[in-house]
Amino acid sequence: AEMYTDPSRPLIIDMGCGMGVSLLGLASSQSINHSELQIDKLPKCNFLGVDLSRLAIGYARGACRRLGLSSDLHFVVDSAENCLRHISESYPGDVALSMIQFPTPFKFQYENEEVSSSVAKKGSNSQLPSSASDNFMVSENLIKQIYNMLSNNGKLLIQSNCEDVSVYMRNLAV
């Protein structure tokens, strides 16, 4: 709550935000006069991006400062589950939108070709984790955490450009 000028505003979270491009765009749109664009003005929101990559978060923080968005938009290096736990314990406003966009569906590639070949021989998509707890951010526990913290009208946006991952995430969410 201390991070934001007005912590009573709805919060939009992007888990696995990478360099924060989506949130930078959404936060920037708050300063646009939407009436000129004939779009209803969006309610003022706070934004939070979380990712495990220090390099990506460093980029996002720099872009945020350069664009003058630091009062409404913040980026943290953390796991999605840990970040959500902190939000549920300390953020006084509603969570209006939680986004998981294009999560990395693959594990580290093996340098040993024999190991890599044996993984491929399983007869499944070698990019998709073999289980829900196998180094993939989107888990049943994460989806439950999101569901429990979304406000009554809160939304979950999940998307992937990998069909297996899209189906997997949709099934967990449903």
Side-chain angles (χ1 to χ4, degrees), residues 17 22 42 127-128 138:
C17 67
S22 293
L42 299 171
Q127 289 186 315
L128 191 63
V138 183

Side-chain angles (χ1 to χ4, degrees), residues 4 18 27 31 38 66 70 85 97 106 116 120 128 144 150 161:
Y4 298 100
S31 61
Q38 298 183 357
R66 285 189 300 280
S70 298
R85 184 176 49 76
L97 174 64
F106 50 83
S116 181
L128 191 63
K144 284 180 181 177
L150 286 174
N161 55 358

Side-chain angles (χ1 to χ4, degrees), residues 5 12 17 26 44 56 84 91 97-98 106 158 161 171:
T5 306
I12 296 176
C17 67
L26 286 172
K44 278 288 225 178
L84 289 177
Y91 192 76
L97 174 64
S98 183
F106 50 83
I158 53 175
N161 55 358
N171 290 342

